[in-house]
């Protein structure tokens, strides 16, 4: 046998071929060059070679010999090689192109043109041998190649695989041989790989009916809805199990009463599980139009069935008549002192006033909550229980909403909300002095007051026959001057009134401070006089500057005099407070300051 000198190179290429066979690649169909399809590589489930010198035996190891060859003893052999492929997985697929590929490893004589043929064989009735060969039925067309060796010369097996599947066959067997007139000539013999033959099957799986057709992106609508959009989006989710791009949706839209006016639109392409968006022509979305849409999936080779029609109605006109508003608690036009109360709920009844397609009412207002309430029936009425935010003037605005979401103009309804929060007759308190406040109830049927000082524990006081009560407040903490004081009432049912938020202001009774020398000199002592405003004060505590240490001195009849020697020049603040025998401390007097001069020259 004449050596080609390239067996080692082809063996290395076999590793590359094995890697390609393990994956899935994208091919191009013959009829639609722009459309992609799935390509899978199928390896043989069985192979064997026959040998004219041992006509009743088969060879299942080593390389696949084809045509004439000599063994090491110089004896001549003639062989054919058979490869069986299982194609049952493609029974439900649409075959686009099938190539049979048999990698070449060696040629006896590269000067001779390739005489290899590939045939489909009939099912073998017995074990295939040289003496008992299956019938060769269809010769496959190969792609001409002038190379001495070809990694994988392609042979068109499209029709033989299609027909086998159409006849219900699961497997096809291809024989690789040398043409009859050169079969026994040594120059034409070749060696093929027995490990890497493949059927490269380009196929397509028919797409499925789209999983969903959605009216509108945001907001979205159910089928059967009435909508007001004049640029409606329709989203379609096509479905295809083939993992390749190129999947598209086709959307059809038509007037329900004129199906002959159907229009169809094709998407630009997506992948399975992702949506495509279509915007319907505004010319179709006219007031009163009743339309239907349906969609299907397309992959360029096959189409799915259509989805069920999704119908909807277009309504672009708002209700022309304003709704009516009525309330037995908050009567329209009521004036001071008003009706109801800031914690009193009242039922408001809204009616469509003859507009047949009203489905809800929306409301808002000054001193009123906002919201939407559905109508009891189409074109009917609705009742909302609403509580004013506070006492005083209130205006409620109400609009009708139809099935499409169109909203009427606002109907204005005004009234005055009665004050139910109690009143407190003052706000000033002196440190450590009990202060009596008179509380007056404004809630009808109030039986008790509740008061809370500084967020502390609630205190309950009964309402007197005159609707009043008194509470005593004593403040002993002078650290802050403002103290929140909340008061409300309850009636016999436990219903609360509004809350009176009263801020109590504390006079901390800070002492007075004075001096006879307002421009002291550094190093020269000056007198300071303190006079208490907190009754019973027994001592004063003073400090000089923000960081000076506090100094405490006794008070006599609420009076004290001290001597202070300035140490630095400039403005100096002196703060002082007093403490009584009960340990209650006044606030700081923070308004006393002097200007200290430098000492005069010697």
């Amino acid at each position: 046998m004449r050596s080609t000198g390239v067996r080692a190179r082809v063996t290395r290429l076999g590793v590359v071929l094995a890697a390609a066979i393990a994956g899935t690649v994208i091919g191009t169909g013959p009829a639609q060059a722009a459309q992609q399809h799935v390509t899978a590589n199928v390896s043989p489930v069985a192979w064997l070679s026959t040998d004219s010198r041992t006509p009743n035996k088969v060879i299942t190891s080593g390389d696949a010999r084809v045509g004439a060859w000599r063994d090491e003893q110089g004896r001549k052999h003639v062989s054919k090689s058979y490869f069986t492929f299982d194609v049952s997985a493609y029974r439900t697929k649409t075959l686009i192109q099938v190539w049979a590929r048999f990698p070449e490893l060696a040629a006896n004589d590269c000067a001779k043109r390739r005489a290899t043929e590939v045939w489909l064989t009939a099912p073998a009735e017995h074990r295939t041998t040289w003496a008992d060969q299956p019938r060769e039925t269809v010769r496959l067309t190969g792609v001409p190649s002038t190379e001495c060796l070809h990694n994988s010369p392609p042979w068109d097996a499209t029709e033989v695989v299609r027909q086998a599947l159409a006849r219900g066959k699961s497997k096809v067997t291809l024989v690789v041989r040398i043409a009859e007139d050169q079969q026994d000539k040594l120059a034409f013999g070749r060696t093929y790989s027995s490990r890497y033959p493949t059927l490269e099957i380009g196929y397509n799986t028919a797409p499925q009916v789209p999983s969903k057709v959605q009216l509108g992106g945001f907001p979205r609508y159910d089928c059967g809805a009435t909508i007001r959009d004049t640029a409606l989006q329709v989203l379609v989710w096509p479905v295809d199990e083939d993992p390749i791009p190129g999947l598209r949706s086709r959307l059809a839209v038509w007037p329900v009463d004129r199906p002959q006016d159907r229009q169809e639109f094709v998407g630009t392409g997506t992948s399975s599980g992702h949506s495509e968006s279509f915007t319907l022509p505004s010319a179709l979305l006219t007031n009163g139009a009743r339309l239907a849409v349906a969609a299907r999936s397309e992959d360029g080779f096959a189409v799915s069935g259509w989805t069920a029609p999704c119908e909807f109605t277009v309504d672009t006109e708002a209700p022309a008549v304003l709704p009516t508003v009525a309330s037995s608690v908050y009567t329209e036009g009521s004036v001071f002192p008003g009706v109801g109360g800031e914690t009193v709920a009242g039922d408001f009844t809204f009616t469509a006033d003859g507009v047949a397609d009203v489905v809800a009412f929306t409301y808002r207002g000054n001193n009123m909550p906002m919201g939407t309430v559905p109508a009891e029936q189409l074109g009917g009425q609705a009742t909302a229980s609403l509580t004013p935010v506070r006492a005083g003037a209130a205006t409620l605005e109400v609009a009708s909403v139809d099935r499409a979401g169109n909203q009427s103009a606002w109907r204005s309804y005004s009234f005055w909300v009665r004050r139910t929060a109690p009143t407190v007759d003052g706000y000033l308190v002196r440190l450590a002095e009990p202060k009596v406040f008179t509380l007056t109830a404004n809630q009808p049927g109030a039986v008790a007051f509740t008061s809370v000082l500084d967020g502390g524990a609630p205190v309950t006081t009964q309402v007197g026959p005159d609707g009043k009560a008194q509470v005593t407040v004593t403040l002993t903490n002078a650290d802050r001057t403002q103290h929140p004081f909340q008061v409300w009432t309850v009636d016999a049912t436990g219903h609360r009134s509004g809350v009176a938020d009263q801020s109590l202001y504390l006079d901390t009774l800070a002492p007075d401070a004075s001096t006879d020398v307002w421009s002291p000199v550094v190093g020269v002592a000056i007198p300071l006089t303190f006079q208490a405003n907190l009754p019973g004060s027994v001592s004063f505590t003073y400090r000089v500057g923000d960081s000076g240490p506090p100094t405490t001195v006794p008070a006599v009849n609420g009076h004290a005099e001290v001597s202070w020697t300035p140490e630095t020049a400039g403005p100096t603040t002196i703060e002082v407070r007093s403490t009584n025998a009960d340990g209650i401390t006044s606030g700081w007097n923070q308004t006393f300051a002097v200007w200290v001069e430098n000492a005069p020259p010697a």
Side-chain angles (χ1 to χ4, degrees):
M1 180 176 73
R2 179 181 176 184
S3 173
T4 63
V6 294
R7 178 182 293 271
R9 180 176 62 85
V10 176
T11 301
R12 289 194 297 271
L13 290 173
V15 178
V16 179
L17 285 171
I21 291 169
T24 299
V25 297
I26 302 301
T28 302
Q32 302 190 23
Q35 179 60 39
Q36 295 175 316
H37 58 74
V38 179
T39 299
N41 292 314
V42 178
S43 298
V45 295
W47 83 276
L48 62 89
S49 285
T50 61
D51 187 349
S52 61
R53 184 164 289 277
T54 55
N56 294 313
K57 294 183 179 181
V58 297
I59 301 170
T60 58
S61 61
D63 297 325
R65 302 268 193 176
V66 175
W69 55 283
R70 290 189 185 278
D71 60 22
E72 294 177 354
Q73 287 75 34
R75 294 174 297 182
K76 183 178 179 181
H77 301 251
V78 179
S79 295
K80 295 182 180 181
S81 292
Y82 297 80
F83 299 89
T84 300
F85 299 88
D86 187 341
V87 293
S88 59
Y90 304 92
R91 193 180 308 281
T92 60
K93 311 296 184 182
T94 300
L95 298 187
I96 309 302
Q97 182 73 60
V98 181
W99 295 107
R101 296 183 180 273
F102 302 95
E104 294 180 333
L105 300 181
N108 291 353
D109 187 351
C110 280
K112 300 296 183 180
R113 64 176 178 81
R114 183 182 289 102
T116 306
E117 295 178 351
V118 178
W119 288 73
L120 173 71
T121 70
E125 298 180 359
H126 308 95
R127 182 187 185 192
T128 299
T129 62
W130 183 268
D132 192 358
Q133 301 180 20
R135 185 165 50 92
E136 298 169 357
T137 59
V138 180
R139 178 182 172 185
L140 276 57
T141 302
V143 177
S145 173
T146 58
E147 299 178 52
C148 174
L149 294 179
H150 194 294
N151 286 340
S152 289
W155 305 84
D156 190 350
T158 308
E159 285 305 316
V160 297
V161 175
R162 281 179 182 166
Q163 292 176 16
L165 292 173
R167 293 193 297 268
K169 304 298 184 181
S170 298
K171 298 176 181 177
V172 293
T173 299
L174 303 178
V175 57
V176 183
R177 53 164 296 167
I178 299 300
E180 191 72 32
D181 55 348
Q182 286 99 17
Q183 183 171 240
D184 60 348
K185 297 178 181 178
L186 288 170
F188 293 93
R190 287 179 175 256
T191 303
Y192 289 84
S193 169
S194 62
R195 296 180 59 191
Y196 300 123
T198 60
L199 281 186
E200 185 183 278
I201 301 179
Y203 67 90
N204 179 66
T205 307
Q208 303 171 31
V209 174
S211 60
K212 183 168 63 171
V213 176
Q214 177 181 301
L215 297 178
F218 182 81
R220 65 182 63 177
Y221 308 97
D222 295 329
C223 295
T226 300
I227 66 173
R228 60 192 176 114
D229 297 53
T230 56
L232 180 66
Q233 275 190 320
V234 178
L235 279 68
V236 180
W237 279 261
V239 178
D240 190 355
E241 69 178 63
D242 290 342
I244 56 174
L247 179 64
R248 299 181 300 178
S249 305
R250 180 179 292 269
L251 179 72
V253 58
W254 66 93
V256 173
D257 58 349
R258 300 192 312 278
Q260 67 275 14
D261 293 340
R262 177 187 183 105
Q263 299 183 47
E264 295 186 1
F265 308 93
V266 179
T268 57
T270 184
S271 56
S272 186
H274 294 77
S275 66
E276 284 195 294
S277 178
F278 300 84
T279 299
L280 298 186
S282 56
L284 294 174
L285 302 173
T286 57
N287 186 58
R290 187 179 173 205
L291 303 173
V293 295
R296 74 181 185 191
S297 307
E298 301 182 354
D299 65 7
F301 296 100
V303 300
S304 73
W306 291 93
T307 60
C310 177
E311 297 183 2
F312 61 96
T313 303
V314 181
D315 179 1
T316 59
E317 293 184 357
V321 180
L322 300 184
T324 65
V325 183
S327 175
S328 60
V329 175
Y330 294 99
T331 54
E332 186 175 21
S334 58
V335 295
F336 184 85
V339 292
E342 67 267 47
T343 62
V344 178
D347 286 344
F348 290 81
T349 300
F350 314 133
T351 70
D353 202 13
V355 181
D357 63 344
V358 168
V359 296
F361 301 90
T362 186
Y363 54 86
R364 66 185 186 186
N366 168 40
N367 196 14
M368 293 295 290
M370 61 185 302
T372 300
V373 59
E376 296 172 357
Q377 61 185 26
L378 189 62
Q381 67 178 28
T383 299
S385 179
L386 307 178
T387 303
V389 177
R390 59 187 176 274
T395 299
L396 181 67
E397 294 182 318
V398 183
S400 300
V401 181
D402 66 16
R403 286 176 295 188
N406 298 303
Q407 182 177 299
S408 72
W410 294 97
R411 161 78 158 87
S412 182
Y413 184 93
S414 298
F415 49 94
W416 193 277
V417 181
R418 179 176 178 171
R419 175 187 172 92
T420 63
T423 56
V424 183
D425 69 341
Y427 58 89
L428 292 177
V429 181
R430 285 169 61 89
L431 181 68
E433 293 183 8
K435 171 70 174 182
V436 177
F437 290 101
T438 298
L439 311 179
T440 302
N442 292 310
Q443 179 188 27
V447 297
F449 292 95
T450 298
S451 57
V452 176
L453 177 65
D454 286 335
V459 176
T460 300
T461 309
Q462 297 302 308
V463 177
D466 58 353
K468 299 178 183 295
Q470 291 185 329
V471 294
T472 301
V473 174
T474 303
L475 298 176
T476 59
N477 184 357
D479 289 343
R480 54 192 177 93
T481 59
Q482 187 171 345
H483 296 262
F485 186 52
Q486 295 179 315
V487 184
W488 64 87
T489 59
V490 294
D491 62 17
T493 67
H495 184 77
R496 283 176 52 160
S497 71
V499 178
D501 280 311
Q502 187 84 349
S503 288
L504 302 184
Y505 291 91
L506 175 65
D507 181 352
T508 64
L509 301 180
D512 298 324
S514 63
T515 183
D516 293 336
V517 182
W518 292 100
S519 297
V521 176
V522 172
V524 179
I526 65 169
L528 299 176
T529 301
F530 304 139
Q531 182 63 48
N533 290 310
L534 174 65
S537 291
V538 296
S539 67
F540 294 95
T541 299
Y542 70 96
R543 61 190 179 195
V544 179
D546 295 335
S547 60
T551 301
T552 300
V553 297
V556 178
N557 295 324
H559 183 84
E561 292 186 2
V562 299
S563 178
W564 169 63
T565 302
E567 297 178 355
T568 58
T572 303
T573 300
I574 301 174
E575 298 180 325
V576 61
R577 67 184 182 184
S578 65
T579 303
N580 66 12
D582 296 326
I584 297 174
T585 302
S586 74
W588 290 97
N589 181 336
Q590 297 175 321
T591 63
F592 183 71
V594 295
W595 187 277
V596 180
E597 302 287 350
N598 285 317

